[in-house]
Amino acid sequence: MTALLLRTFLPSPLTCRTPPPPTPTPPLIRGPRFGELTTSARVRLTRTNATAPTKPRTLQEGIAELYDESSGIWEEIWGDHMHHGFYDPDSSVSLSASDHRAAQIRMIDQALSFAGISEDLANKRVVDVGCGIGGSSRYLATKYGAQCEGITLSPVQAERANALAASPGLADKVSFQVADALDQPFPDGQFDLVWSMESGEHMPDKAKFVNELVRVAAPGGTIIVVTWCHRDLAPSEESLQPWEKNLLSRICDAYYLPEWCSTADYVKLLKSHSVQEVKRADWSQYVAPFWPAVIRSALTWKGLTSLLRSGLKTIKGALVMPLMIEGFQKGVIKLAIITCRKLD
Amino acid sequence: MRLLTHNMLSSNIKGVTNGFPLRIEAEKVVEKQVEINHDFLRNIFPKIEWKAFVDASRILGYAELPEEAPEPSVLESDHEFLGKFHHALLELHIEEGALVCPETGRKFPINKGIPNMLLHEDEV
């Protein structure tokens, strides 16, 4: 019944590989994991790596619009953390909503632990780059005593983030503003921790993104990036296989992401700056239950009615979720963590 | 937007050498009570650009802060000072107005307490 309902909205089979339209138009943007809203048209994705020639202003506007429209729906069903949960590899399939929330919180703790800084965050300054509705910032402030500034392209998210922070002991520790991660409105060397939890995939210019992360980090400060990457290329490879590019392009298409890069690309970019202790890991095995859970949540009564309210593009985004699972299973997509420390 | 945030923001328009501090144009300022936390204040104090902070508080109509930053030891025991510091840093909010780049005069709007620091294409 559900499948039939969804299929009536599906314009073409998932396996249909229509090439993207030839003319460049305002770029696509990603939605939250089970749906997104956009009014932008499609963009022709290029073959080149990170610095794709999409107009940054329009992509920005698109991302802002998207999150302005859809954050509420995500929050209703999943809460205030808009990132993968961290699970034990052998965890059972029947996890509850609160298990998933706990996993999302665990992701934050694991990231800090990986970077080696869990103990030192009291009263330290943190910038939350791509802060969503402030889940990470509020958690870092409440549990670790950090003082956090969040930036997001979405005015609605910034407002919601501030609203969620208006409680005693928290209001002084976190604040949120509308700003661009590629042009952070802070002087150099401001932050002890530069935190980017699943926002990197939105950045059309990875080099500039990394530049800014390093610039605003204080001497000796830590940078933590958790993001979606494609697999590293073998030394003999110039690019991904055609089938891999096709898979990613359908995901970019539905979720409106700029071109993906690999974990190795991030490491290379970071190493071109004055940083040390660059560490990387592939956490794909620890996030495996996430997408199936998002799909299940989309197929609940609440999920379905939200999707149907949202529109065709949201539904298309939801239908492409199996591609994320496929990508992970086939080793194309990785959930990567990359951390380093800025030189003193 | 609190003055704590103002003390951290700068204009990053291309070509600007010193975008800090941003000038303030306050249209609507509200006071929001926040519970005082002495430890927090003691920790944040060394990170505050004092002159920019005092000037900003004056613009918002609060004239109680000293021109010169006091010695950190003052924060150990002077509760009156701590109260003033707390009030100016955390309880004064610019709800509507703008932050102005000190070199170019470009205005970054503040709506519903949230500053919008997005740059235009030609400023990047």
Side-chain angles (χ1 to χ4, degrees):
Chain A
M1 171 63 190
T2 305
L4 186 65
L5 197 65
L6 292 173
R7 225 195 284 280
T8 56
F9 287 94
L10 179 60
S12 58
L14 279 174
T15 50
C16 174
R17 295 178 184 197
T18 42
T23 45
T25 46
L28 304 178
I29 55 251
R30 177 187 69 167
R33 275 60 176 192
F34 75 99
E36 26 64 30
L37 293 165
T38 181
T39 52
S40 309
R42 285 150 185 262
V43 74
R44 180 166 161 320
L45 292 168
T46 65
R47 298 290 204 201
T48 57
N49 51 23
T51 49
T54 44
K55 277 192 167 173
R57 296 308 114 194
T58 336
L59 175 65
Q60 241 189 34
E61 281 161 22
I63 292 171
E65 225 175 68
L66 162 73
Y67 283 111
D68 276 354
E69 287 172 344
S70 62
S71 285
I73 298 171
W74 177 265
E75 189 188 346
E76 248 178 65
I77 300 189
W78 274 81
D80 66 341
H81 292 295
M82 300 173 85
H83 59 253
H84 285 72
F86 188 101
Y87 308 84
D88 290 320
D90 54 356
S91 58
S92 83
V93 284
S94 52
L95 295 161
S96 67
S98 64
D99 289 332
H100 289 294
R101 182 174 170 80
Q104 288 179 308
I105 287 170
R106 187 174 168 194
M107 174 63 80
I108 301 175
D109 291 327
Q110 293 284 146
L112 291 173
S113 171
F114 182 82
I117 57 164
S118 320
E119 279 76 58
D120 310 336
L121 277 180
N123 297 301
K124 292 285 161 66
R125 275 191 165 170
V126 179
V127 60
D128 187 350
V129 180
C131 61
I133 53 176
S136 289
S137 289
R138 282 189 301 276
Y139 182 68
L140 292 172
T142 323
K143 180 163 179 192
Y144 294 96
Q147 197 257 314
C148 303
E149 298 285 328
I151 56 173
T152 170
L153 290 174
S154 159
V156 166
Q157 280 190 332
E159 204 180 327
R160 184 68 185 137
N162 278 321
L164 288 169
S167 57
L170 198 52
D172 51 352
K173 303 207 103 166
V174 300
S175 85
F176 304 93
Q177 25 281 328
V178 174
D180 186 352
L182 298 187
D183 280 291
Q184 293 191 37
F186 306 111
D188 301 356
Q190 186 96 278
F191 298 102
D192 304 299
L193 171 61
V194 178
W195 175 266
S196 169
M197 173 57 72
E198 292 193 43
S199 59
E201 46 277 11
H202 277 297
M203 310 300 165
D205 184 339
K206 307 299 185 201
K208 195 155 188 229
F209 169 53
V210 171
N211 249 46
E212 283 292 276
L213 295 178
V214 176
R215 180 182 73 77
V216 302
T222 300
I223 298 168
I224 297 179
V225 175
V226 176
T227 186
W228 306 5
C229 293
H230 68 61
R231 66 168 176 83
D232 288 352
L233 297 178
S236 54
E237 282 184 302
E238 288 208 357
S239 67
L240 293 173
Q241 294 294 308
W243 71 266
E244 292 176 307
K245 286 197 226 185
N246 190 279
L247 177 74
L248 290 184
S249 128
R250 282 147 68 204
I251 292 169
C252 286
D253 200 49
Y255 288 151
Y256 313 129
L257 300 174
E259 196 101 354
W260 297 52
C261 69
S262 69
T263 313
D265 290 329
Y266 271 109
V267 170
K268 190 169 169 195
L269 284 170
L270 281 166
K271 283 185 168 171
S272 71
H273 294 272
S274 314
V275 301
Q276 57 187 330
E277 298 170 34
V278 180
K279 290 194 270 192
R280 55 166 285 176
D282 176 1
W283 280 2
S284 307
Q285 60 178 309
Y286 302 113
V287 304
F290 183 74
W291 288 99
V294 180
I295 290 175
R296 275 197 304 278
S297 75
L299 294 176
T300 57
W301 179 250
K302 189 173 182 180
L304 277 175
T305 50
S306 303
L307 283 174
L308 291 173
R309 258 203 323 267
S310 306
L312 284 175
K313 290 195 162 85
T314 310
I315 292 167
K316 186 177 179 201
L319 289 165
V320 167
M321 286 191 292
L323 292 185
M324 286 300 295
I325 295 177
E326 187 186 339
F328 273 111
Q329 278 172 352
K330 293 182 175 171
V332 187
I333 294 177
K334 306 287 181 185
L335 196 280
I337 178 167
I338 310 112
T339 69
C340 68
R341 197 182 291 276
K342 190 160 170 184
L343 287 175
D344 287 291
Chain B
M1 189 204 75
R2 312 166 301 191
L3 293 187
L4 171 59
T5 304
H6 169 257
N7 208 255
M8 304 181 72
L9 290 174
S10 91
S11 164
N12 49 346
I13 296 171
K14 182 175 69 179
V16 167
T17 36
N18 187 10
F20 179 90
L22 293 155
R23 288 201 322 266
I24 294 176
E25 276 178 15
E27 281 162 42
K28 182 175 168 200
V29 179
V30 303
E31 289 191 19
K32 294 185 191 177
Q33 268 226 307
V34 173
E35 201 178 310
I36 191 166
N37 179 336
H38 292 150
D39 282 330
F40 176 77
L41 294 171
R42 287 173 190 132
N43 274 292
I44 205 89
F45 176 75
K47 299 175 189 178
I48 298 294
E49 259 290 324
W50 192 258
K51 178 160 192 331
F53 175 53
V54 176
D55 291 346
S57 66
R58 297 251 157 117
I59 291 185
L60 301 192
Y62 188 68
E64 307 288 317
L65 291 173
E67 285 288 343
E68 299 285 324
E71 291 301 310
S73 54
V74 168
L75 279 86
E76 293 308 312
S77 49
D78 188 343
H79 284 229
E80 200 191 326
F81 173 78
L82 280 169
K84 292 177 184 174
F85 180 39
H86 167 80
H87 182 71
L89 193 68
L90 301 171
E91 293 189 323
L92 298 176
H93 287 260
I94 306 169
E95 286 292 304
E96 305 290 328
L99 296 172
V100 184
C101 174
E103 282 185 20
T104 66
R106 198 298 221 182
K107 299 192 188 188
F108 296 95
I110 303 173
N111 291 119
K112 300 194 226 180
I114 297 165
N116 186 326
M117 307 302 297
L118 294 177
L119 299 178
H120 303 139
E121 254 191 272
D122 55 339
E123 294 171 323
V124 168

